[in-house]
Amino acid sequence: DEQNDGLYDSKDKVISLTAKTLKSTVFNQPYGSLVEFYNSFCGFCRRFAPIYKKIAEDLNGWKRILIVTAIDCAKDENNAICREFEVMAYPTIRYFSPHYLDGQQKIGKQYRGHSEDELMYQLLGDIQTSKSTTKFWPNLNLFNDTDKRKIFIDDSDDSSIDNEHIKFAFLINENETDSLIGRQVILDLFGYKGFIVRRRKDFDEGNNVLVIERSTGEFEDLGVGYFERNEIVKTIKEYLKEKSINLEQIVTEKSVQLSQKQSTTQTYDGIDDKLDEVILNNVKSMKGKIFQSDLEQAVRFTLFHEVAQFAKIDGRRLTALQQFIAVLVRYFPFGSDGKKFLNDVQDFVMNAGEEIDGHKFLEKLQEFKANRKVFSSNRWVGCASNKPGLRRFPCSLWTLFHFLTVQAAEKEISNDPLEILQAMHGYVRHFFGCTDCSQHFQQMAVKNRIWNVTSKDDAVLWLWSSHNEVNKRLSKDATEDPDFPKIQFPSREMCPACRRKILTNHHNHHQYPIEDENSGNVEWNLVEILSYLKSMYAATNVSRFGVN
Ligand code: FAD
């Protein structure tokens, strides 16, 4: 159990899907589906969640033709389905058109960007072109006939709309090329009896809304005060009310089914048992310790979840995996069974040829783990949180790599100063399921000249300094757990000697930032920092508190 929880719950208009429900919900349905594939631990996904909720809220009126859904790829049970859908970045937004088939091209249409406008623009284009594939569907195409009475004929291809009863047509003119308003209004007012809404583009005329009366063929300007989605919808509704047309929705078999579709309630499976609470309370007062549990959780999640999620591992990605496994083999503090396990994994990835299939990799991991006591814990300890989606895996990944840089510096196994940083860079670049973290990290690696690190001690300091840069950026961010604030590390309390007053004015010669956030006349004492990190991330400082 990964103890992370989804970003959406039953209060939202976003329908939470799982491996069991994804295909049956989005394949071959009379409606279209928007699906967000996310990782609950990814900060960007977390910051994006309110936007996606708002989109779902805004599109809720269209739910007879479109559903808004999401699936958490960070959950182990969804690992295989996210691999099958070839999700390579988080969050990924895809559209599945009505009657989308579980055929060759079964992964949906990928959308670009993450703003409401960008997504809306792509979605409206797709809803527009879905017209030909399904019957009960709004007509978003332009109506440009000069004979406005033809508007009542044009829609007769939709057998579910009883054409006889349509008394009014509203025709929205937009004189801006990229306007979304006309199509949004059509969707907002789709599926009612008694009237239809169409749009046109006449650049010689201003933005306006005409109403055409069927019985007489006459039309007039509705006089919408402010040309905006909600305002137009409101004005049309008021007009209809005046004409004694009740807003009554057309009922189709499928639309009934759909409006009954509820968000599945997700139960919060965060830290709820007593033991975890005890752990959390203790850990808050154990600053400066690291934990076997977190290190193991990092290895478990990287290998069994993140690496296994790739359908195909080849080229540079395969090299990155080989380097990552190699440093684990060298420095990871497993017991003898765990070491045998890692050796087998290494043999496999070194001899697998050009390409590894993620599913095959997972099978191998399970095979190598069978009948061995590889992991001594299956919970977060130093990286625990009582809030869903915070800390946990990303926290353990930092911990793992700090630990590895210190192990490499303390042991004589390799003389390569870049051994760990290179493995980390490759892992983060090719496997870390927090996509924007990965991009930030690669940029930071260039900016902070990762490849110029010349000693193993410098590698320890490089990672410390870069992590602090991330902490600074994320301080007070939505991903901050108030119980574990993002500080310039280590705090004064943890290491008083790590900061000292600046005596001379030699700022420019420093490779690393010389001051912490709020004290201009303080600099890091790198000798003390190094010794602090070496004792904190020492093999002898790994606590077994909380192991099974
Ligand atoms: P973390 O920052 O995860 O730290 C874990 C532990 O490491 C701390 O509890 C502390 O004991 C120790 N520590 C803290 N600072 C240092 C240091 N300077 N040196 C040594 N030890 C230290 N999230 C985003 O939202 N945007 C990003 O761009 C982003 N980039 C990331 C890049 C990488 C490579 C990784 C691994 C994670 C990234 N994250 C990013 C996630 C983010 O940094 C945190 O991991 C996450 O928010 C959890 O924070 P936390 O409070 O548990 O502490």
Side-chain angles (χ1 to χ4, degrees), residues 113-178:
H114 294 98
S115 71
E116 179 163 5
D117 279 357
E118 284 170 300
L119 295 173
M120 186 67 90
Y121 189 81
Q122 297 167 83
L123 183 61
L124 287 172
D126 285 329
I127 293 178
Q128 187 169 344
T129 51
S130 294
K131 173 73 183 156
S132 56
T133 64
T134 193
K135 280 211 155 205
F136 182 70
W137 202 256
N139 186 352
L140 299 185
N141 296 327
L142 297 172
F143 173 79
N144 277 332
D145 207 303
T146 44
D147 182 357
K148 298 209 168 45
R149 275 172 304 188
K150 289 216 175 121
I151 200 168
F152 293 101
I153 301 164
D154 202 81
D155 235 34
S156 58
D157 63 324
D158 194 336
S159 60
S160 65
I161 298 176
D162 189 348
N163 217 21
E164 288 298 294
H165 290 114
I166 295 173
K167 296 203 169 73
F168 295 98
F170 297 90
L171 185 54
I172 301 167
N173 187 48
E174 297 163 288
N175 73 358
E176 286 144 44
T177 322
D178 285 342

Side-chain angles (χ1 to χ4, degrees), residues 42-44 47 288-289 382-383 390-392 394-399 402 424 428 432 434 436-438 440-441 463-468 470-471 473-474 477 479-481 484-487 489-490 494 533 536-537:
C42 128
F44 185 94
R47 291 183 282 272
K289 274 255 166 236
C383 290
L390 298 187
R391 309 201 73 224
R392 300 183 176 92
C395 167
S396 71
L397 196 61
W398 280 122
T399 307
H402 287 301
M424 176 178 182
V428 169
F432 191 23
C434 175
D436 80 314
C437 301
S438 171
H440 279 138
F441 188 78
L463 196 57
W464 156 78
S465 170
S466 296
H467 189 172
N468 266 348
V470 177
N471 292 344
R473 178 152 43 81
L474 296 178
D477 177 76
T479 59
E480 182 172 85
D481 181 340
F484 299 88
K486 306 214 187 262
I487 54 159
F489 186 93
M494 294 169 107
L533 294 171
M536 173 169 169
Y537 291 102

Side-chain angles (χ1 to χ4, degrees), residues 384-426:
S385 169
N386 55 10
K387 292 146 203 92
L390 298 187
R391 309 201 73 224
R392 300 183 176 92
F393 174 58
C395 167
S396 71
L397 196 61
W398 280 122
T399 307
L400 172 65
F401 284 114
H402 287 301
F403 176 79
L404 293 175
T405 55
V406 167
Q407 296 314 300
E410 297 290 66
K411 294 187 174 132
E412 300 291 316
I413 300 176
S414 160
N415 286 324
D416 176 8
L418 284 170
E419 184 191 20
I420 308 296
L421 294 183
Q422 186 161 25
M424 176 178 182
H425 186 267

